[in-house]
Amino acid sequence: MFKWLSGKKAEETPKVHSLDLEELKEQLKTELNVGADLVFRTLKRDGEKLIFCLIDSLIDSTKLDEVVIKSIMNHKEIEWTCEGISKVLPMASIHAVNQLGEVVQGINQGKVYIYSEGQPYGILADVSKNLVRGLEKAETESLVYGPKISFTESLQSNINILRNNIKDEDLCTEDLTVGRRSKTKAKIVYIRGIADEQIVNTFKQRLNELELDYIPGTTVLGQYIESNSWTVFPQLMTTELPDRISIALYRGKVAVLMDRSPDALYGPTSFFAFFESTEDVYMRWNMGLFLRLLRLVATFISVLLTPAYVAVLTYHYEVIPSPLLLSLGESRARVPFPPVFETLLLEFVIELLREAGARLPTKVGQTIGIVGGIIIGQAAVQAGFTSNILIIILCLSALGSFTTPSYLMGTAIRLIRFPIILMAGLWGGIGIMIAFCFFIIHLLRLETIGGPYLTPIYPARIKDIGYSFFKLPPQYFSFRPITNRTKDKERFPKKKAKQKKDVDE
């Protein structure tokens, strides 16, 4: 496919045909500033010169020699013009350019610029070297059921995976460039006819308004386009699972993928969506319902269990049964610290162990996490720094936070425990309620792209509860989520889904 491009930098940079070859070389050396990596190769024929400009470290030399140069040399009868050269190059995409700014940008992307002196246009041909790791199992999102393949750092590879999953002619991918200096390629992905145009336009507007020099990945990109940057709660979902993106697109959501980023970003996303795992879709509905409710209960316990311990021991001894009160008294007999300081100290130690285990090599990290936790916990109890009952409570709280499928949401849950523990130490149960109400009000005020953060609870969307924390048999989900304002609201005919026919009928 041969394209003529009109330069966006026509007023800023000179046209190539106004320069002779030596001037062109000097201009490219000045603009690119890459030193010895900038290579010029020249072909001569009957007084004509054909120059190839490229950055050696970015191109595939075999593709350049075997596909580009060899094809031109084997067709000696062609004219060295854009039309003539484009006819003999067996390449899918060739661009004709005449602006120096376009030439510099193309060479920086791993393309070779082919120019014949005196011609009004040159050619940019893609001979870039693709440094892509193979398809591997997802690391941060562990699954028992469902596909386990993960995205890679190649944007083209990730789009290919999505198109293999979604063979829908309405699957749309729109090109973007993020980063004023880095010029990283990105794509907005959605299904036309399902995704709401207003949500798609909101994504486009927020992405196009970014004026940053460099964005390292989709997780950072999400922080720039989300509605509230001060909250600890993530408002857009990031995932490395293509299957999760496919399910989200069919529900009317919009995804963003970036080159050199192994994660995809999608929205709109509610608070309860962060507790949904992809394997819930593949399991039987009752099993998926149990696991989803288990995660929500575990999160609730993780947030409130240690603050409740601090509040009860500081202000509310009367709520403890007498047999348990005796055990608590014996356990805390040697502890010199107040419950709030004791709890915060151990919470800090657990976070240190978790961070050390995540940063160390896999085998060493697992050993540090298990052995370090056992040794430190036992030593702390024997030394009188803490009680053994608090160790049990902290372990339950940590396990509850680790059940969250989203790493970002799990980190947010662990983080909000600290202010709630402080409030419990200051005012007991009243302090817990004040802090808890503060976070509820904060969640009610939050917005994600496309709507409120606590949907379908606020505003109430009874039909969408099955897509959040409740789950029913699949034949009852004949509609798409109302919250996403999808165009095509029906997934399948509701009446036919309930009809069960045998083969002989």
Side-chain angles (χ1 to χ4, degrees):
M1 183 172 58
F2 186 54
K3 294 182 179 180
W4 298 85
L5 300 182
S6 59
K8 295 181 180 178
K9 299 184 179 181
E11 299 180 357
E12 302 176 13
T13 57
K15 292 186 177 181
V16 174
H17 72 268
S18 63
L19 306 172
D20 59 31
L21 290 183
E22 293 303 320
E23 289 177 334
L24 176 61
K25 289 181 180 179
E26 291 301 320
Q27 286 276 9
L28 290 177
K29 288 178 181 178
T30 303
E31 294 288 335
L32 289 167
N33 196 27
V34 292
D37 277 351
L38 182 61
V39 176
F40 300 97
R41 297 177 65 175
T42 307
L43 291 181
K44 295 181 180 180
R45 184 187 68 179
D46 299 332
E48 292 181 296
K49 291 183 180 180
L50 190 66
I51 188 172
F52 299 83
C53 311
L54 54 104
I55 296 179
D56 189 51
S57 57
L58 294 180
I59 64 105
D60 186 340
S61 57
T62 303
K63 188 185 295 185
L64 174 67
D65 294 335
E66 298 296 327
V67 178
V68 178
I69 297 179
K70 193 173 182 180
S71 297
I72 295 174
M73 293 183 67
N74 288 341
H75 295 80
K76 298 181 179 180
E77 73 284 355
I78 65 166
E79 296 183 2
W80 282 355
T81 62
C82 285
E83 293 85 351
I85 295 174
S86 64
K87 290 178 182 178
V88 301
L89 290 183
M91 306 185 76
S93 180
I94 303 172
H95 303 294
V97 296
N98 69 343
Q99 300 292 333
L100 187 63
E102 295 171 347
V103 175
V104 170
Q105 184 176 345
I107 294 175
N108 258 327
Q109 294 173 353
K111 298 177 181 179
V112 57
Y113 179 64
I114 308 170
Y115 177 67
S116 179
E117 190 173 23
Q119 293 296 320
Y121 282 83
I123 286 179
L124 282 174
D126 190 0
V127 291
S128 58
K129 186 188 301 181
N130 295 322
L131 301 176
V132 183
R133 63 182 172 95
L135 300 179
E136 298 175 356
K137 184 178 178 180
E139 292 290 336
T140 59
E141 297 178 76
S142 301
L143 298 174
V144 178
Y145 289 103
K148 299 170 181 60
I149 189 174
S150 66
F151 284 127
T152 68
E153 286 77 10
S154 169
L155 177 61
Q156 189 59 47
S157 175
N158 294 340
I159 294 296
N160 290 342
I161 296 172
L162 273 182
R163 289 199 176 276
N164 283 327
N165 286 356
I166 305 176
K167 300 185 183 299
D168 192 326
E169 62 274 10
D170 288 328
L171 179 65
C172 297
T173 59
E174 298 187 15
D175 294 329
L176 290 170
T177 301
V178 293
R180 181 169 47 87
R181 289 183 176 271
S182 63
K183 296 180 175 63
T184 308
K185 293 180 181 179
K187 285 183 182 289
I188 290 182
V189 186
Y190 61 95
I191 299 179
R192 186 190 294 115
I194 296 181
D196 180 47
E197 290 183 3
Q198 184 177 350
I199 296 176
V200 176
N201 292 333
T202 303
F203 267 96
K204 291 180 184 177
Q205 178 185 352
R206 295 191 182 185
L207 290 169
N208 290 327
E209 288 177 351
L210 292 178
E211 295 184 1
L212 302 166
D213 56 353
Y214 172 63
I215 299 177
T218 52
T219 53
V220 179
L221 181 66
Q223 297 174 43
Y224 283 109
I225 67 173
E226 63 188 7
S227 301
N228 188 335
S229 299
W230 293 96
T231 180
V232 298
F233 297 100
Q235 297 142 65
L236 293 171
M237 181 77 78
T238 55
T239 180
E240 61 177 350
L241 295 173
D243 213 50
R244 193 179 187 112
I245 294 293
S246 303
I247 294 170
L249 293 179
Y250 274 116
R251 291 180 179 178
K253 299 181 187 292
V254 180
V256 179
L257 289 85
M258 278 181 60
D259 198 21
R260 318 315 304 168
S261 178
D263 301 301
L265 177 78
Y266 72 85
T269 309
S270 70
F271 174 77
F272 299 102
F274 290 93
F275 300 93
E276 179 185 356
S277 175
T278 309
E279 67 182 1
D280 294 349
V281 178
Y282 294 94
M283 301 180 72
R284 293 188 60 81
W285 71 272
N286 37 25
M287 299 178 185
L289 171 62
F290 170 74
L291 293 178
R292 200 174 296 182
L293 292 177
L294 178 65
R295 294 186 202 111
L296 289 170
V297 172
T299 302
F300 189 78
I301 291 174
S302 174
V303 171
L304 295 181
L305 190 59
T306 46
Y309 170 85
V310 173
V312 166
L313 289 187
T314 308
Y315 295 99
H316 311 295
Y317 274 103
E318 66 276 3
V319 303
I320 306 175
S322 299
L324 183 59
L325 184 61
L326 182 61
S327 300
L328 278 172
E330 293 177 352
S331 176
R332 286 190 46 80
R334 296 178 57 200
V335 179
F337 307 117
V340 61
F341 181 80
E342 175 193 11
T343 304
L344 288 174
L345 178 63
L346 280 187
E347 286 277 9
F348 180 71
V349 170
I350 286 180
E351 290 301 317
L352 281 181
L353 287 171
R354 186 193 64 80
E355 187 66 16
R359 298 290 165 256
L360 289 171
T362 305
K363 295 181 179 179
V364 180
Q366 291 176 353
T367 305
I368 290 293
I370 297 172
V371 178
I374 295 173
I375 293 175
I376 292 176
Q378 184 178 2
V381 172
Q382 292 179 351
F385 280 94
T386 184
S387 64
N388 48 16
I389 293 179
L390 179 58
I391 295 290
I392 297 173
I393 291 175
L394 285 175
C395 289
L396 289 175
S397 297
L399 287 174
S401 65
F402 293 143
T403 59
T404 309
S406 170
Y407 179 80
L408 291 177
M409 181 56 75
T411 305
I413 295 300
R414 291 194 296 272
L415 184 60
I416 67 174
R417 276 208 306 262
F418 288 94
I420 298 179
I421 290 172
L422 284 174
M423 293 294 289
L426 289 174
W427 293 303
I430 297 176
I432 293 177
M433 291 307 300
I434 292 174
F436 193 70
C437 289
F438 171 81
F439 284 113
I440 292 295
I441 294 171
H442 176 65
L443 290 173
L444 288 170
R445 291 172 57 87
L446 276 182
E447 291 183 355
T448 181
I449 294 180
Y453 193 55
L454 276 187
T455 182
I457 301 301
Y458 174 80
R461 297 284 189 268
I462 304 301
K463 286 188 176 182
D464 286 358
I465 289 179
Y467 284 106
S468 54
F469 54 86
F470 199 70
K471 192 172 173 62
L472 292 173
Q475 60 266 27
Y476 290 96
F477 291 97
S478 61
F479 57 90
R480 303 185 200 278
I482 300 174
T483 305
N484 297 337
R485 305 194 299 270
T486 57
K487 288 185 177 181
D488 183 4
K489 300 183 183 302
E490 193 176 59
R491 296 178 60 234
F492 53 82
K494 186 176 181 180
K495 293 182 179 179
K496 292 184 178 180
K498 295 182 179 181
Q499 296 175 1
K500 298 183 179 180
K501 293 184 179 182
D502 294 331
V503 177
D504 55 351
E505 290 185 7

